[in-house]
Amino acid sequence: MTKLGLFICAHDGISCHYAGAGTAASGYVKGIPLLEKTLKKQSIELSAYAITGKYLKSIYGFNENLLRENIDICRNTGGDVLFCLNNSNGFFQYGDYSNWVPASASAATIIESIIETKRFDRVIILGVDTPFAFTPVYVKKQLLNSRAIVQGVWVPHSTSLIHERGAFDSKRLEWEMGIVKEINQTKNMFVSYLNSYMQHHLRIEYGVSEKKLIPLLNGIYIPGVPYFTQEEISRTIREFNIPTDKPIIFSFGRGATYKGFDVFLQALRYLDDLPVHFILQVAFFSTKDPLLRKLKELSKQVKNISVIFKLSYEF
């Protein structure tokens, strides 16, 4: 029986859930039971671990139930959920360069120790997004006393060149370009892409070698999709004055400038005569966010729209 160690390192989706990257990471963990069952038929014994930052329970998006579910899933394979240091007071999940370096290194130290103890034959490490980009490479470089075959994947759901066009975070850009350089020249290290756009973006704008790009698509964990009654849906429709006699065009996302919701609302002023109704749902971390005020003002200039400035799962 081949012993396989799987390590999923993510800032969101393990003990908290506040963004789309967390949805993806949570989905990776929830897929572990099926993966374990499938691998067992191939004489592969899976031990799965999830690693995330050591956060306070009062942090935005902390989810005790999600954490418990993930712990149970990992422990059922002989693994666990473990917590790394990220140079914060427990209030930074994503953070910045000052948090990414210790997060990547701390997670790598945890993984290296487990590999040495468990004596795996193969190891797969997913470093989800920028905070854990370097974790697989750090392990690969300094795993000196193990026979395990180590493969690692940086899993970017976005990049500096997407998030910050026009106002780049030079430290983030340097960090991401640095991991691409390391992966291009390190055996068994890869970068994943979730669609053709990211594949092209990573190859052309970041210089990832074609042979280092592998697909890792996001899916939907069907048992986790909530069910809402028609009564609940009707109540939401009434609350936000949503008409039911015309087509709906729905746009949603996190309240961040690069999402372009301000441009979207400005464009809608010229589409008042379209026989449709627009719905814009935007979630903000803070009610004091300047972008929230801007979107509220812009939405007043659009006639055929319902705006929801909160997370609402009735849709």
Side-chain angles (χ1 to χ4, degrees):
M1 184 78 79
T2 300
K3 296 179 65 177
L4 171 64
L6 172 64
F7 297 87
I8 301 170
C9 308
H11 66 283
D12 189 23
I14 308 301
S15 64
C16 59
H17 189 185
Y18 69 91
T23 301
S26 175
Y28 302 155
V29 177
K30 286 180 169 60
I32 287 172
L34 179 58
L35 178 62
E36 180 186 26
K37 183 178 179 180
T38 303
L39 290 175
K40 191 168 289 186
K41 295 177 182 178
Q42 303 174 35
S43 298
I44 299 174
E45 179 184 315
L46 175 68
S47 296
Y49 296 81
I51 300 176
T52 192
K54 190 174 183 179
Y55 309 134
L56 293 172
K57 290 187 177 182
S58 56
I59 197 171
Y60 183 88
F62 187 86
N63 190 319
E64 189 77 54
N65 291 333
L66 175 66
L67 175 58
R68 176 48 54 189
E69 289 173 7
N70 290 336
I71 288 173
D72 289 344
I73 289 171
C74 291
R75 287 183 179 175
N76 283 337
T77 70
D80 208 345
V81 171
L82 302 168
F83 304 95
C84 68
L85 306 181
N86 70 345
N87 188 35
S88 79
N89 57 3
F91 270 106
F92 294 119
Q93 292 138 321
Y94 188 86
D96 58 24
Y97 179 78
S98 66
N99 306 110
W100 305 333
V101 176
S104 279
S106 179
T109 301
I110 292 170
I111 294 170
E112 190 271 344
S113 177
I114 293 172
I115 294 174
E116 296 284 5
T117 303
K118 292 283 189 173
R119 302 186 66 80
F120 294 118
D121 299 300
R122 302 186 72 93
V123 173
I124 297 174
I125 305 168
L126 303 185
V128 180
D129 288 302
T130 304
F132 291 100
F134 270 83
T135 296
V137 167
Y138 286 162
V139 175
K140 178 75 172 178
K141 280 186 171 182
Q142 295 200 251
L143 191 64
L144 306 177
N145 300 311
S146 173
R147 61 186 177 86
I149 298 173
V150 178
Q151 296 174 297
V153 185
W154 176 37
V155 186
H157 290 99
S158 190
T159 65
S160 174
L161 290 180
I162 293 174
H163 270 155
E164 299 146 357
R165 287 198 178 278
F168 298 120
D169 177 346
S170 60
K171 297 295 287 186
R172 177 179 177 181
L173 190 54
E174 180 183 352
W175 174 256
E176 292 174 347
M177 289 295 190
I179 190 55
V180 168
K181 180 180 178 181
E182 292 281 358
I183 288 172
N184 278 344
Q185 63 189 21
T186 306
K187 183 179 179 180
N188 286 333
M189 294 288 110
F190 304 92
V191 181
S192 72
Y193 60 89
L194 54 87
N195 53 38
S196 58
Y197 170 80
M198 282 297 289
Q199 181 183 19
H200 181 271
H201 167 67
L202 290 165
R203 184 170 61 86
I204 300 300
E205 299 192 271
Y206 272 83
V208 180
S209 170
E210 186 70 45
K211 65 182 180 180
K212 291 291 187 173
L213 284 165
I214 60 173
L216 181 57
L217 309 183
N218 293 337
I220 297 175
Y221 179 66
I222 299 299
V225 177
Y227 172 80
F228 293 94
T229 65
Q230 187 59 50
E231 181 182 348
E232 291 174 307
I233 295 172
S234 296
R235 184 166 61 247
T236 301
I237 288 173
R238 291 193 299 270
E239 180 182 354
F240 295 105
N241 297 314
I242 299 171
T244 57
D245 60 348
K246 59 180 67 176
I248 297 294
I249 297 179
F250 187 57
S251 181
F252 64 95
R254 183 164 45 86
T257 301
Y258 83 97
K259 300 284 188 178
F261 291 124
D262 54 341
V263 178
F264 175 71
L265 287 172
Q266 291 174 45
L268 292 190
R269 289 185 297 176
Y270 301 95
L271 303 176
D272 282 346
D273 294 333
L274 283 182
V276 300
H277 188 78
F278 296 95
I279 298 176
L280 176 61
Q281 180 183 359
V282 187
F284 285 88
F285 296 149
S286 170
T287 56
K288 298 180 181 179
D289 192 310
L291 180 60
L292 174 58
R293 294 195 298 271
K294 182 178 181 180
L295 295 185
K296 283 183 176 180
E297 288 301 315
L298 287 172
S299 66
K300 293 175 182 178
Q301 302 171 32
V302 181
K303 296 178 181 178
N304 52 340
I305 191 169
S306 297
V307 182
I308 307 169
F309 291 117
K310 67 176 183 178
L311 283 176
S312 174
Y313 294 101
E314 280 83 347
F315 297 100

